[in-house]
mmCIF file of all heavy atoms in Angstrom:
data_model
loop_
_atom_site.group_PDB
_atom_site.id
_atom_site.type_symbol
_atom_site.label_atom_id
_atom_site.label_comp_id
_atom_site.label_asym_id
_atom_site.label_seq_id
_atom_site.Cartn_x
_atom_site.Cartn_y
_atom_site.Cartn_z
ATOM 1 N N MET A 784 4.372 4.626 17.656
ATOM 2 C CA MET A 784 3.728 4.239 16.412
ATOM 3 C C MET A 784 4.791 3.634 15.493
ATOM 4 O O MET A 784 5.863 4.193 15.315
ATOM 5 C CB MET A 784 3.077 5.473 15.768
ATOM 6 C CG MET A 784 2.293 5.160 14.524
ATOM 7 S SD MET A 784 1.432 6.594 13.810
ATOM 8 C CE MET A 784 -0.074 6.579 14.735
ATOM 9 N N ASN A 785 4.487 2.490 14.905
ATOM 10 C CA ASN A 785 5.399 1.837 13.961
ATOM 11 C C ASN A 785 5.417 2.587 12.638
ATOM 12 O O ASN A 785 4.468 3.303 12.298
ATOM 13 C CB ASN A 785 4.960 0.398 13.702
ATOM 14 C CG ASN A 785 5.108 -0.471 14.918
ATOM 15 O OD1 ASN A 785 6.076 -0.361 15.654
ATOM 16 N ND2 ASN A 785 4.143 -1.341 15.139
ATOM 17 N N ASN A 786 6.494 2.382 11.876
ATOM 18 C CA ASN A 786 6.609 3.054 10.574
ATOM 19 C C ASN A 786 5.469 2.688 9.627
ATOM 20 O O ASN A 786 4.952 3.541 8.912
ATOM 21 C CB ASN A 786 7.962 2.745 9.931
ATOM 22 C CG ASN A 786 9.098 3.422 10.652
ATOM 23 O OD1 ASN A 786 8.925 4.473 11.261
ATOM 24 N ND2 ASN A 786 10.275 2.819 10.609
ATOM 25 N N TRP A 787 5.057 1.412 9.616
ATOM 26 C CA TRP A 787 3.970 1.026 8.721
ATOM 27 C C TRP A 787 2.665 1.705 9.146
ATOM 28 O O TRP A 787 1.837 2.033 8.307
ATOM 29 C CB TRP A 787 3.824 -0.489 8.644
ATOM 30 C CG TRP A 787 3.250 -1.134 9.875
ATOM 31 C CD1 TRP A 787 3.934 -1.677 10.909
ATOM 32 C CD2 TRP A 787 1.854 -1.281 10.188
ATOM 33 N NE1 TRP A 787 3.053 -2.145 11.862
ATOM 34 C CE2 TRP A 787 1.776 -1.929 11.438
ATOM 35 C CE3 TRP A 787 0.670 -0.945 9.534
ATOM 36 C CZ2 TRP A 787 0.563 -2.231 12.042
ATOM 37 C CZ3 TRP A 787 -0.535 -1.249 10.144
ATOM 38 C CH2 TRP A 787 -0.589 -1.891 11.375
ATOM 39 N N GLU A 788 2.508 1.946 10.446
ATOM 40 C CA GLU A 788 1.306 2.621 10.934
ATOM 41 C C GLU A 788 1.277 4.090 10.499
ATOM 42 O O GLU A 788 0.208 4.636 10.224
ATOM 43 C CB GLU A 788 1.221 2.531 12.453
ATOM 44 C CG GLU A 788 0.957 1.124 12.956
ATOM 45 C CD GLU A 788 1.031 1.023 14.463
ATOM 46 O OE1 GLU A 788 2.020 1.498 15.056
ATOM 47 O OE2 GLU A 788 0.080 0.457 15.055
ATOM 48 N N ILE A 789 2.430 4.707 10.417
ATOM 49 C CA ILE A 789 2.503 6.087 9.938
ATOM 50 C C ILE A 789 2.071 6.148 8.480
ATOM 51 O O ILE A 789 1.290 7.023 8.077
ATOM 52 C CB ILE A 789 3.928 6.643 10.130
ATOM 53 C CG1 ILE A 789 4.246 6.766 11.621
ATOM 54 C CG2 ILE A 789 4.088 7.983 9.416
ATOM 55 C CD1 ILE A 789 5.713 7.032 11.932
ATOM 56 N N ILE A 790 2.561 5.212 7.672
ATOM 57 C CA ILE A 790 2.163 5.164 6.260
ATOM 58 C C ILE A 790 0.662 4.912 6.145
ATOM 59 O O ILE A 790 -0.034 5.579 5.375
ATOM 60 C CB ILE A 790 2.961 4.090 5.507
ATOM 61 C CG1 ILE A 790 4.446 4.467 5.467
ATOM 62 C CG2 ILE A 790 2.408 3.891 4.093
ATOM 63 C CD1 ILE A 790 5.360 3.375 4.952
ATOM 64 N N ALA A 791 0.143 3.967 6.923
ATOM 65 C CA ALA A 791 -1.292 3.658 6.888
ATOM 66 C C ALA A 791 -2.116 4.871 7.297
ATOM 67 O O ALA A 791 -3.150 5.176 6.674
ATOM 68 C CB ALA A 791 -1.595 2.472 7.808
ATOM 69 N N ASP A 792 -1.671 5.591 8.305
ATOM 70 C CA ASP A 792 -2.367 6.796 8.752
ATOM 71 C C ASP A 792 -2.369 7.855 7.645
ATOM 72 O O ASP A 792 -3.389 8.501 7.400
ATOM 73 C CB ASP A 792 -1.706 7.329 10.015
ATOM 74 C CG ASP A 792 -2.495 8.437 10.672
ATOM 75 O OD1 ASP A 792 -3.726 8.280 10.842
ATOM 76 O OD2 ASP A 792 -1.890 9.469 11.024
ATOM 77 N N ASN A 793 -1.237 8.022 6.976
ATOM 78 C CA ASN A 793 -1.157 8.986 5.869
ATOM 79 C C ASN A 793 -2.088 8.594 4.724
ATOM 80 O O ASN A 793 -2.722 9.459 4.107
ATOM 81 C CB ASN A 793 0.275 9.114 5.366
ATOM 82 C CG ASN A 793 1.172 9.822 6.343
ATOM 83 O OD1 ASN A 793 0.711 10.553 7.219
ATOM 84 N ND2 ASN A 793 2.470 9.600 6.228
ATOM 85 N N LEU A 794 -2.178 7.311 4.422
ATOM 86 C CA LEU A 794 -3.105 6.851 3.377
ATOM 87 C C LEU A 794 -4.548 7.171 3.773
ATOM 88 O O LEU A 794 -5.333 7.652 2.950
ATOM 89 C CB LEU A 794 -2.944 5.346 3.131
ATOM 90 C CG LEU A 794 -1.674 4.905 2.419
ATOM 91 C CD1 LEU A 794 -1.541 3.391 2.469
ATOM 92 C CD2 LEU A 794 -1.662 5.397 0.980
ATOM 93 N N SER A 795 -4.886 6.913 5.020
ATOM 94 C CA SER A 795 -6.247 7.202 5.502
ATOM 95 C C SER A 795 -6.559 8.689 5.404
ATOM 96 O O SER A 795 -7.639 9.085 4.953
ATOM 97 C CB SER A 795 -6.409 6.739 6.949
ATOM 98 O OG SER A 795 -6.316 5.347 7.046
ATOM 99 N N LYS A 796 -5.610 9.528 5.815
ATOM 100 C CA LYS A 796 -5.812 10.973 5.745
ATOM 101 C C LYS A 796 -5.988 11.462 4.312
ATOM 102 O O LYS A 796 -6.646 12.478 4.080
ATOM 103 C CB LYS A 796 -4.642 11.700 6.397
ATOM 104 C CG LYS A 796 -4.616 11.575 7.907
ATOM 105 C CD LYS A 796 -3.392 12.245 8.496
ATOM 106 C CE LYS A 796 -3.337 12.058 9.995
ATOM 107 N NZ LYS A 796 -2.091 12.605 10.576
ATOM 108 N N ALA A 797 -5.409 10.732 3.347
ATOM 109 C CA ALA A 797 -5.520 11.102 1.939
ATOM 110 C C ALA A 797 -6.766 10.509 1.281
ATOM 111 O O ALA A 797 -6.948 10.625 0.069
ATOM 112 C CB ALA A 797 -4.269 10.667 1.185
ATOM 113 N N GLY A 798 -7.622 9.854 2.076
ATOM 114 C CA GLY A 798 -8.879 9.333 1.542
ATOM 115 C C GLY A 798 -8.849 7.888 1.081
ATOM 116 O O GLY A 798 -9.788 7.412 0.445
ATOM 117 N N TRP A 799 -7.792 7.167 1.396
ATOM 118 C CA TRP A 799 -7.674 5.771 0.990
ATOM 119 C C TRP A 799 -8.114 4.846 2.117
ATOM 120 O O TRP A 799 -7.797 5.075 3.276
ATOM 121 C CB TRP A 799 -6.233 5.445 0.619
ATOM 122 C CG TRP A 799 -5.757 6.168 -0.596
ATOM 123 C CD1 TRP A 799 -5.182 7.397 -0.635
ATOM 124 C CD2 TRP A 799 -5.843 5.711 -1.939
ATOM 125 N NE1 TRP A 799 -4.897 7.726 -1.933
ATOM 126 C CE2 TRP A 799 -5.291 6.719 -2.757
ATOM 127 C CE3 TRP A 799 -6.326 4.555 -2.542
ATOM 128 C CZ2 TRP A 799 -5.221 6.603 -4.133
ATOM 129 C CZ3 TRP A 799 -6.246 4.434 -3.912
ATOM 130 C CH2 TRP A 799 -5.701 5.440 -4.699
ATOM 131 N N SER A 800 -8.820 3.785 1.765
ATOM 132 C CA SER A 800 -9.078 2.690 2.695
ATOM 133 C C SER A 800 -7.984 1.665 2.446
ATOM 134 O O SER A 800 -7.544 1.481 1.309
ATOM 135 C CB SER A 800 -10.444 2.066 2.427
ATOM 136 O OG SER A 800 -11.467 3.006 2.673
ATOM 137 N N TRP A 801 -7.545 0.982 3.478
ATOM 138 C CA TRP A 801 -6.435 0.057 3.302
ATOM 139 C C TRP A 801 -6.645 -1.185 4.157
ATOM 140 O O TRP A 801 -7.453 -1.209 5.073
ATOM 141 C CB TRP A 801 -5.103 0.726 3.658
ATOM 142 C CG TRP A 801 -5.049 1.231 5.064
ATOM 143 C CD1 TRP A 801 -5.412 2.467 5.501
ATOM 144 C CD2 TRP A 801 -4.676 0.490 6.222
ATOM 145 N NE1 TRP A 801 -5.275 2.545 6.863
ATOM 146 C CE2 TRP A 801 -4.817 1.348 7.330
ATOM 147 C CE3 TRP A 801 -4.220 -0.804 6.437
ATOM 148 C CZ2 TRP A 801 -4.525 0.943 8.625
ATOM 149 C CZ3 TRP A 801 -3.933 -1.212 7.724
ATOM 150 C CH2 TRP A 801 -4.081 -0.345 8.804
ATOM 151 N N GLY A 802 -5.917 -2.222 3.818
ATOM 152 C CA GLY A 802 -5.952 -3.451 4.582
ATOM 153 C C GLY A 802 -4.637 -4.186 4.425
ATOM 154 O O GLY A 802 -3.868 -3.910 3.506
ATOM 155 N N CYS A 803 -4.384 -5.111 5.333
ATOM 156 C CA CYS A 803 -3.139 -5.867 5.298
ATOM 157 C C CYS A 803 -3.376 -7.242 5.907
ATOM 158 O O CYS A 803 -4.043 -7.350 6.948
ATOM 159 C CB CYS A 803 -2.057 -5.117 6.067
ATOM 160 S SG CYS A 803 -0.449 -5.917 6.044
ATOM 161 N N VAL A 804 -2.850 -8.274 5.267
ATOM 162 C CA VAL A 804 -2.943 -9.638 5.795
ATOM 163 C C VAL A 804 -1.599 -10.326 5.592
ATOM 164 O O VAL A 804 -0.814 -9.952 4.724
ATOM 165 C CB VAL A 804 -4.047 -10.476 5.110
ATOM 166 C CG1 VAL A 804 -5.422 -9.886 5.363
ATOM 167 C CG2 VAL A 804 -3.789 -10.628 3.631
ATOM 168 N N SER A 805 -1.359 -11.339 6.395
ATOM 169 C CA SER A 805 -0.185 -12.189 6.175
ATOM 170 C C SER A 805 -0.685 -13.539 5.686
ATOM 171 O O SER A 805 -1.806 -13.961 5.988
ATOM 172 C CB SER A 805 0.633 -12.342 7.457
ATOM 173 O OG SER A 805 -0.111 -13.008 8.441
ATOM 174 N N ALA A 806 0.168 -14.195 4.919
ATOM 175 C CA ALA A 806 -0.166 -15.517 4.382
ATOM 176 C C ALA A 806 1.120 -16.331 4.309
ATOM 177 O O ALA A 806 2.221 -15.791 4.403
ATOM 178 C CB ALA A 806 -0.798 -15.382 3.003
ATOM 179 N N ILE A 807 0.972 -17.607 4.124
ATOM 180 C CA ILE A 807 2.108 -18.509 3.973
ATOM 181 C C ILE A 807 2.160 -18.951 2.514
ATOM 182 O O ILE A 807 1.161 -19.430 1.974
ATOM 183 C CB ILE A 807 1.966 -19.749 4.888
ATOM 184 C CG1 ILE A 807 1.741 -19.341 6.346
ATOM 185 C CG2 ILE A 807 3.150 -20.681 4.733
ATOM 186 C CD1 ILE A 807 2.885 -18.593 6.969
ATOM 187 N N ASP A 808 3.330 -18.784 1.860
ATOM 188 C CA ASP A 808 3.442 -19.202 0.462
ATOM 189 C C ASP A 808 3.722 -20.703 0.398
ATOM 190 O O ASP A 808 3.823 -21.384 1.423
ATOM 191 C CB ASP A 808 4.477 -18.364 -0.295
ATOM 192 C CG ASP A 808 5.903 -18.624 0.123
ATOM 193 O OD1 ASP A 808 6.167 -19.565 0.908
ATOM 194 O OD2 ASP A 808 6.797 -17.883 -0.341
ATOM 195 N N VAL A 809 3.862 -21.231 -0.819
ATOM 196 C CA VAL A 809 4.025 -22.680 -0.999
ATOM 197 C C VAL A 809 5.329 -23.208 -0.410
ATOM 198 O O VAL A 809 5.446 -24.404 -0.153
ATOM 199 C CB VAL A 809 3.930 -23.061 -2.495
ATOM 200 C CG1 VAL A 809 2.545 -22.790 -3.025
ATOM 201 C CG2 VAL A 809 4.979 -22.349 -3.314
ATOM 202 N N GLU A 810 6.289 -22.316 -0.181
ATOM 203 C CA GLU A 810 7.554 -22.731 0.414
ATOM 204 C C GLU A 810 7.580 -22.533 1.926
ATOM 205 O O GLU A 810 8.616 -22.684 2.568
ATOM 206 C CB GLU A 810 8.703 -21.981 -0.254
ATOM 207 C CG GLU A 810 8.826 -22.324 -1.727
ATOM 208 C CD GLU A 810 9.893 -21.515 -2.439
ATOM 209 O OE1 GLU A 810 10.569 -20.693 -1.779
ATOM 210 O OE2 GLU A 810 10.035 -21.702 -3.653
ATOM 211 N N GLY A 811 6.439 -22.166 2.509
ATOM 212 C CA GLY A 811 6.332 -22.011 3.954
ATOM 213 C C GLY A 811 6.788 -20.672 4.493
ATOM 214 O O GLY A 811 6.894 -20.496 5.705
ATOM 215 N N ARG A 812 7.057 -19.712 3.621
ATOM 216 C CA ARG A 812 7.483 -18.379 4.054
ATOM 217 C C ARG A 812 6.270 -17.481 4.276
ATOM 218 O O ARG A 812 5.272 -17.596 3.573
ATOM 219 C CB ARG A 812 8.383 -17.738 3.001
ATOM 220 C CG ARG A 812 9.656 -18.516 2.733
ATOM 221 C CD ARG A 812 10.439 -17.874 1.626
ATOM 222 N NE ARG A 812 9.599 -17.849 0.422
ATOM 223 C CZ ARG A 812 10.045 -17.631 -0.801
ATOM 224 N NH1 ARG A 812 11.319 -17.396 -1.010
ATOM 225 N NH2 ARG A 812 9.228 -17.629 -1.833
ATOM 226 N N THR A 813 6.375 -16.588 5.238
ATOM 227 C CA THR A 813 5.324 -15.613 5.486
ATOM 228 C C THR A 813 5.466 -14.472 4.486
ATOM 229 O O THR A 813 6.559 -13.952 4.288
ATOM 230 C CB THR A 813 5.408 -15.057 6.913
ATOM 231 O OG1 THR A 813 5.278 -16.140 7.845
ATOM 232 C CG2 THR A 813 4.323 -14.020 7.176
ATOM 233 N N ILE A 814 4.378 -14.115 3.847
ATOM 234 C CA ILE A 814 4.349 -12.947 2.973
ATOM 235 C C ILE A 814 3.263 -12.008 3.484
ATOM 236 O O ILE A 814 2.316 -12.429 4.148
ATOM 237 C CB ILE A 814 4.096 -13.304 1.489
ATOM 238 C CG1 ILE A 814 2.756 -14.034 1.324
ATOM 239 C CG2 ILE A 814 5.229 -14.123 0.918
ATOM 240 C CD1 ILE A 814 2.321 -14.210 -0.117
ATOM 241 N N TRP A 815 3.446 -10.735 3.207
ATOM 242 C CA TRP A 815 2.481 -9.718 3.609
ATOM 243 C C TRP A 815 1.828 -9.133 2.371
ATOM 244 O O TRP A 815 2.505 -8.821 1.389
ATOM 245 C CB TRP A 815 3.175 -8.621 4.415
ATOM 246 C CG TRP A 815 3.593 -9.118 5.747
ATOM 247 C CD1 TRP A 815 4.767 -9.714 6.074
ATOM 248 C CD2 TRP A 815 2.808 -9.107 6.937
ATOM 249 N NE1 TRP A 815 4.774 -10.067 7.401
ATOM 250 C CE2 TRP A 815 3.580 -9.704 7.954
ATOM 251 C CE3 TRP A 815 1.529 -8.640 7.242
ATOM 252 C CZ2 TRP A 815 3.127 -9.839 9.252
ATOM 253 C CZ3 TRP A 815 1.076 -8.772 8.537
ATOM 254 C CH2 TRP A 815 1.852 -9.366 9.530
ATOM 255 N N ILE A 816 0.517 -9.005 2.400
ATOM 256 C CA ILE A 816 -0.254 -8.451 1.283
ATOM 257 C C ILE A 816 -0.973 -7.221 1.810
ATOM 258 O O ILE A 816 -1.693 -7.292 2.809
ATOM 259 C CB ILE A 816 -1.259 -9.480 0.743
ATOM 260 C CG1 ILE A 816 -0.514 -10.755 0.330
ATOM 261 C CG2 ILE A 816 -2.063 -8.894 -0.409
ATOM 262 C CD1 ILE A 816 -1.366 -11.987 0.321
ATOM 263 N N ALA A 817 -0.761 -6.091 1.143
ATOM 264 C CA ALA A 817 -1.404 -4.837 1.549
ATOM 265 C C ALA A 817 -2.148 -4.266 0.357
ATOM 266 O O ALA A 817 -1.718 -4.416 -0.788
ATOM 267 C CB ALA A 817 -0.366 -3.843 2.054
ATOM 268 N N ASP A 818 -3.279 -3.637 0.630
ATOM 269 C CA ASP A 818 -4.029 -3.011 -0.456
ATOM 270 C C ASP A 818 -4.550 -1.656 -0.002
ATOM 271 O O ASP A 818 -4.691 -1.388 1.184
ATOM 272 C CB ASP A 818 -5.173 -3.901 -0.935
ATOM 273 C CG ASP A 818 -6.403 -3.786 -0.048
ATOM 274 O OD1 ASP A 818 -6.272 -3.987 1.166
ATOM 275 O OD2 ASP A 818 -7.484 -3.474 -0.568
ATOM 276 N N ALA A 819 -4.781 -0.804 -0.990
ATOM 277 C CA ALA A 819 -5.390 0.503 -0.748
ATOM 278 C C ALA A 819 -6.392 0.740 -1.865
ATOM 279 O O ALA A 819 -6.143 0.390 -3.018
ATOM 280 C CB ALA A 819 -4.339 1.608 -0.734
#
Side-chain angles (χ1 to χ4, degrees):
M784 184 176 274
N785 293 320
N786 290 332
W787 72 265
E788 291 174 310
I789 294 168
I790 295 170
D792 189 48
N793 289 339
L794 288 170
S795 294
K796 288 177 183 175
W799 294 88
S800 296
W801 59 270
C803 182
V804 297
S805 64
I807 306 296
D808 70 8
V809 294
E810 296 176 1
R812 299 176 301 196
T813 301
I814 59 170
W815 290 89
I816 303 156
D818 82 305

